[in-house]
Amino acid sequence: MLRTQAHISNLTHPQPSVSPQVPLPGETLTLLFLVLLASLSIYLLKPPAAVPASAPAAEFSSGRAMKQVEVISRQPHPIGSPAHAVVRDYLLSELNALGLKPETQKTTVADFLWGDSFRAGTVENVLARLEGTDHGKAVLLAAHYDSVPTSYGASDDGSGVATLLETARALKNGARLKNDVIFLFTDGEEVGMLGARAFVNEHPWAKDVGLVLNFEARGNGGSAVMFETSSKNGWVIGEFAKAAPRPVANSLSYDIYRLLPNDTDFTVFRYAGWQGLNFAYIDGLHHYHTSLDSFQRIDEGSLQHDGSYALALTRHFGNLSLERRREQNSIYFDILGRTMISYSSQWALALTALIVLMCAGVIFYGFKRGRLSVAGIALGFLVLPLNIITASVLMLCVGWLTRALQRGVNAIPQGDTSHSSLYLLGVAALVIASTSIIYPWFRKKIGVGNLTMGGLLFLLLLLILSHLYLPGGSYLLAWPVLFSLIALGYLFAAGDENRVSLKKHLILALCTVPSVILLPPIIYQLFVALGLGAAVVLGGLIVLLLGMLLPQLNLAATSRRWLLPGGALTASLFLIVAAMAASGVDKDHPRQNSVFYALNADTGKAIWVSSDESQGEWSSQFFTAAAQKGALTEYLPWPGDSYLKGVAPVASVNAPEVSVLEDRADNGGRLLRLRVSSPRQAAVISIFVDATVQLAVVNGKPIREGAEQSESTPGKQWTLHYCAPPAEGIELTLSLKSMEPVRLVVVDESRGLPEPPGAVYTPRPDHTISSPILPGDLTFVRKSFTLKM
Ligand SMILES: [Zn+2]
């Protein structure tokens, strides 16, 4: 690369000078090229086309898989619900029909501490195994078949389940693989990856797993992104790059994902030390965990994308030896969703070293040509962060303003791509406007050379820091900086910076290619994943992109100084106003709300509760003007005091029950063996104990922290949430420190609101849905017990 630099410097021939006042086709073409390439890089992120059900039997067909999704997502099917049992039975019958002899794994899982309370449950995994010709390690395909209560679970994770079923069908119709393939339909993912824990900890097939492919969804469309891998992933990534038909993956998303508090079953597999790949599509995040996640709203291409990975990778890894093949972590990224580049972190360091050398070379050359000054570079170095701060503040303001103007409406629901794309374009235009005001002002003072060089030095600093903190993201700086250095070197060699020529435009435009095909897809994906909540990061990335395009923008801005900022500002205002006009409440963008019912069986009093800031037309029917906000202490041992509470009639429901099976002195303390049950078959039983619990066992399983939960600590009040308890209840053994009387509060939680006698409530209209985040459409019944020895 250094040689290229020297080579370019020999090319210094005077270019034909064109007066900057005359509009040049070159500058319009450069701008057009940049805009088209950026748009193309985002457009090509779209998933492949759907494949009809008539496709050959050995292929994956989204048409066939959609039929599975339709059945799976008829009803919300959370763990412990009757609809969940229907889905389980459907899976068993479909696997049987494929001749796969499925089995279930029913067990209690109790090794999960979530925040300050323990989570446990009875899970029922569904499994099947396709025998290979050899007896090496197996490929595990996994997806969860439970949904959240508020969603039909068509994408999350009906799409994953259907991907597994259709892949199994296609594999049965193709050549036999060397390795066994295990299909694992996990249960209880949504309540703490309980089924995955059960498989890893207890199932005899777990020891056979050589590689895991997990399929998830967090939206309703878009490309299926390979967003998470295991540690020491060099070999896995290399093979993925060879076999994936339409790879969309980058090591930055994995680094970012690891910083977020999100988990899937893959977390449990990763902690088990298994190597593997995790896939999800995430466009249309406002569908996630809501009743919008329905069969009708799935983008079938996303399902096809999932399936094309599943089948191609299973066939590929199914014929390779999967004995632990650990190689250094890779830096990887796709090029326009068509091919993958991957190299080791050592190569990434070598690339950075090369860039440092090249940077020194360009600086030396720039000084030699009289185009750089120390003060100029220093100022240029500060302009980029200044610009990033300006852009981030502007984006925060837009977010704040739109929320303030559209109070009560989900003005910018997380990642709602239907109108958030308008927001993204609007804020991107705003950042372009601010940048194209700030940069020319400084350019006049210090020249484009100093401005660009200072910016590149700032980026170089970020590149070096990325190796320490976000190694997977280093590629996103390295390649653009490298090519920007080439562009700058060329600019120095080409003489007067204000002289423009077609050749100059062409060479500079070519140097933008890495920036323009790598950065816009990441900006788009981050926006989709995190929404305007990540305004600071997004603003920063857009500025980085523009920073790398400085020489090109400089040329584009020479003749019509106000064209770019003026045009960008106008476009920005237009787009943001259009986005606001498009956002409103309708059945595609329903208002989310939270209303639930709580009954204290000790006092015989009940309330309606809402966690919403304000009440809409539907939820307001539960609250009179006298309803006040406060704590729930009397009903639920939850923190916080901003719950709106309205007096409710008492529903005729049975309270949870506790019976003492054994109560004796034990090691200076007390051992209590209890049966805790919900006569109304609620989906969750929560037990709060006001005593020091030394040891607890549920259904014969010790209750303890899970492998990945080491940073959590149990709260002052010992708490257990048990999901999907069996009809006869759970058997809980508590080893207590003291023999004093102990107080237990038991709350059971069922889905849906009750219909207390005499009360008539309007059913939920289709422009409102139950909040996927705040508790809603739930019935809690609480009863307390004091147990004396
Ligand atoms: Zn899921």
Side-chain angles (χ1 to χ4, degrees):
M1 293 303 169
L2 276 171
R3 209 174 288 150
T4 317
Q5 169 60 33
H7 180 68
I8 287 174
S9 70
N10 291 335
L11 283 174
T12 324
H13 301 299
Q15 302 299 328
S17 165
V18 179
S19 160
Q21 264 64 47
V22 180
L24 240 202
E27 59 187 63
T28 316
L29 284 177
T30 301
L31 264 186
L32 205 64
F33 172 75
L34 295 180
V35 170
L36 280 179
L37 195 58
S39 311
L40 185 73
S41 70
I42 292 174
Y43 173 79
L44 287 177
L45 277 181
K46 78 179 173 56
V51 171
S54 56
E59 281 181 23
F60 187 99
S61 150
S62 57
R64 289 188 284 250
M66 281 299 275
K67 288 179 187 154
Q68 308 281 18
V69 176
E70 188 175 10
V71 180
I72 294 161
S73 63
R74 277 191 190 135
Q75 293 294 324
H77 43 282
I79 181 172
S81 67
H84 171 273
V86 171
V87 174
R88 177 204 59 210
D89 292 343
Y90 177 72
L91 292 179
L92 290 168
S93 77
E94 285 298 291
L95 292 165
N96 261 318
L98 288 174
L100 279 172
K101 300 197 194 87
E103 54 178 79
T104 58
Q105 179 198 12
K106 187 168 183 176
T107 187
T108 293
V109 183
D111 60 339
F112 184 32
L113 180 63
W114 199 350
D116 56 8
S117 55
F118 291 100
R119 200 44 88 115
T122 301
V123 296
E124 209 167 347
N125 291 333
V126 175
L127 302 102
R129 188 163 182 152
L130 186 62
E131 297 276 327
T133 54
D134 293 2
H135 292 285
K137 290 279 185 186
V139 177
L140 174 72
L141 293 177
H144 66 89
Y145 76 91
D146 64 315
S147 75
V148 292
T150 46
S151 152
Y152 293 100
S155 280
D156 181 16
D157 191 20
S159 66
V161 170
T163 294
L164 263 57
L165 287 175
E166 172 64 6
T167 302
R169 195 207 51 72
L171 289 174
K172 283 289 267 185
N173 283 284
R176 214 168 145 198
L177 305 176
K178 279 187 187 163
N179 300 327
D180 288 6
V181 181
I182 299 170
F183 298 91
L184 170 63
F185 303 88
T186 62
D187 189 8
E189 192 271 348
E190 299 290 5
V191 292
M193 303 95 80
L194 298 182
R197 290 167 206 276
F199 180 77
V200 165
N201 295 338
E202 294 178 19
H203 202 278
W205 292 354
K207 66 176 186 334
D208 303 336
V209 173
L211 176 109
V212 55
L213 306 174
N214 189 59
F215 293 89
E216 268 285 358
R218 194 172 158 252
N220 74 325
S223 272
V225 184
M226 196 289 284
F227 69 100
E228 185 183 13
T229 70
S230 40
S231 65
K232 299 213 167 110
N233 57 27
W235 178 76
V236 178
I237 291 293
E239 296 303 319
F240 170 75
K242 279 186 219 165
R246 287 269 295 261
V248 177
N250 63 71
S251 41
L252 173 67
S253 70
Y254 176 39
D255 278 2
I256 291 178
Y257 176 79
R258 279 194 297 189
L259 300 174
L260 300 174
N262 296 338
D263 284 303
T264 69
D265 282 341
F266 195 84
T267 307
V268 177
F269 302 144
R270 195 158 44 80
Y271 272 87
W274 298 348
Q275 54 188 358
L277 304 165
N278 197 5
F279 302 85
Y281 54 84
I282 61 167
D283 274 25
L285 189 55
H286 68 298
H287 296 76
Y288 175 60
H289 283 183
T290 74
S291 55
L292 296 178
D293 182 5
S294 64
F295 166 72
Q296 291 81 1
R297 291 174 187 268
I298 286 193
D299 176 350
E300 194 182 323
S302 304
L303 188 52
Q304 182 61 36
H305 203 184
D306 264 344
S308 67
Y309 285 126
L311 188 57
L313 293 172
T314 306
R315 285 199 171 123
H316 183 78
F317 286 108
N319 284 319
L320 293 177
S321 164
L322 300 177
E323 292 303 324
R324 293 171 72 87
R325 313 217 12 197
R326 301 295 174 137
E327 284 168 20
Q328 265 209 327
N329 270 341
S330 274
I331 310 298
Y332 55 92
F333 52 94
D334 65 85
I335 307 259
L336 303 175
R338 293 304 183 276
T339 184
M340 284 263 296
I341 306 275
S342 72
Y343 45 87
S344 72
S345 35
Q346 273 157 344
W347 275 107
L349 279 172
L351 179 65
T352 299
L354 174 78
I355 292 168
V356 170
L357 284 176
M358 197 164 148
C359 194
V362 174
I363 291 177
F364 178 76
Y365 181 60
F367 273 105
K368 209 175 134 200
R369 302 277 302 191
R371 301 282 288 278
L372 292 177
S373 69
V374 174
I377 294 179
L379 194 58
F381 183 86
L382 295 175
V383 173
L384 191 59
L386 170 80
N387 203 3
I388 289 177
I389 293 166
T390 311
S392 302
V393 168
L394 279 173
M395 293 189 72
L396 285 175
C397 289
V398 169
W400 176 82
L401 242 171
T402 45
R403 267 190 298 274
L405 288 173
Q406 297 184 302
R407 254 189 125 54
V409 180
N410 294 318
I412 310 171
Q414 255 192 328
D416 170 0
T417 36
S418 64
H419 56 264
S420 65
S421 298
L422 289 175
Y423 273 113
L424 177 60
L425 288 172
V427 292
L430 190 62
V431 173
I432 290 174
S434 75
T435 304
S436 56
I437 291 168
I438 292 174
Y439 275 131
W441 194 81
F442 281 96
R443 192 184 58 224
K444 253 192 277 170
K445 300 232 171 306
I446 57 176
V448 71
N450 283 318
L451 192 58
T452 311
M453 195 66 243
L456 287 177
L457 279 176
F458 183 79
L459 294 175
L460 189 58
L461 183 69
L462 290 185
L463 172 60
I464 291 165
L465 289 175
S466 79
H467 284 285
L468 296 175
Y469 300 105
L470 218 64
S474 65
Y475 80 93
L476 205 55
L477 290 163
W479 295 102
V481 167
L482 180 71
F483 279 80
S484 294
L485 281 171
I486 294 174
L488 189 59
Y490 167 74
L491 213 58
F492 290 160
D496 182 2
E497 64 189 42
N498 289 322
R499 277 194 196 164
V500 281
S501 71
L502 272 177
K503 182 180 161 199
K504 204 171 184 181
H505 276 299
L506 197 66
I507 289 175
L508 292 183
L510 286 178
C511 288
T512 64
V513 171
S515 309
V516 182
I517 63 175
L518 291 179
L519 273 155
I522 291 289
I523 294 170
Y524 177 78
Q525 282 172 322
L526 275 180
F527 181 73
V528 167
L530 307 171
L532 274 187
V536 177
V537 181
L538 290 169
L541 279 173
I542 297 173
V543 172
L544 284 195
L545 173 62
L546 296 175
M548 291 173 197
L549 304 181
L550 259 185
Q552 293 77 9
L553 291 177
N554 180 48
L555 287 190
T558 38
S559 64
R560 286 174 240 166
R561 206 178 303 153
W562 291 104
L563 186 70
L564 198 54
L569 195 63
T570 313
S572 158
L573 283 174
F574 178 76
L575 286 162
I576 290 172
V577 169
M580 285 174 67
S583 59
V585 171
D586 57 42
K587 69 179 183 2
D588 296 324
H589 302 94
R591 183 186 171 116
Q592 295 177 356
N593 54 31
S594 131
V595 174
F596 58 94
Y597 178 89
L599 169 71
N600 183 335
D602 298 334
T603 61
K605 287 202 278 185
I607 47 171
W608 296 112
V609 189
S610 174
S611 311
D612 294 327
E613 262 178 56
S614 61
Q615 301 309 312
E617 52 170 302
W618 176 76
S619 53
S620 59
Q621 67 180 319
F622 299 98
F623 305 95
T624 60
Q628 281 188 335
K629 286 196 177 184
L632 292 179
T633 332
E634 206 188 315
Y635 295 89
L636 297 168
W638 290 2
D641 56 3
S642 57
Y643 299 96
L644 182 70
K645 300 182 289 184
V647 179
V650 175
S652 55
V653 284
N654 290 319
E657 289 173 359
V658 170
S659 55
V660 179
L661 305 176
E662 194 181 348
D663 189 358
R664 61 177 166 86
D666 179 59
N667 275 336
R670 179 181 179 188
L671 187 126
L672 253 179
R673 199 156 62 82
L674 309 168
R675 178 158 299 283
V676 186
S677 63
S678 165
R680 62 192 189 98
Q681 302 279 298
V684 185
I685 297 179
S686 300
I687 300 151
F688 305 84
V689 182
D690 283 329
T692 306
V693 176
Q694 291 172 313
L695 201 80
V697 175
V698 64
N699 298 343
K701 296 277 172 67
I703 299 173
R704 56 185 173 214
E705 299 175 15
E708 80 280 19
Q709 294 293 319
S710 49
E711 73 280 5
S712 304
T713 44
K716 278 185 196 139
Q717 195 178 36
W718 187 90
T719 307
L720 171 70
H721 302 288
Y722 196 99
C723 303
E728 70 275 14
I730 55 172
E731 192 184 300
L732 179 66
T733 306
L734 298 172
S735 167
L736 303 174
K737 202 170 179 182
S738 127
M739 288 194 259
E740 297 286 299
V742 60
R743 188 160 168 277
L744 248 65
V745 172
V746 181
V747 177
D748 67 1
E749 170 191 334
S750 61
R751 279 113 199 185
L753 297 175
E755 280 176 25
V760 181
Y761 296 99
T762 320
R764 195 182 262 293
D766 67 0
H767 59 268
T768 80
I769 55 172
S770 187
S771 164
I773 298 160
L774 303 169
D777 288 17
L778 296 167
T779 298
F780 294 92
V781 181
R782 164 212 165 110
K783 193 163 167 59
S784 63
F785 304 84
T786 302
L787 306 175
K788 291 188 190 117
M789 217 180 149

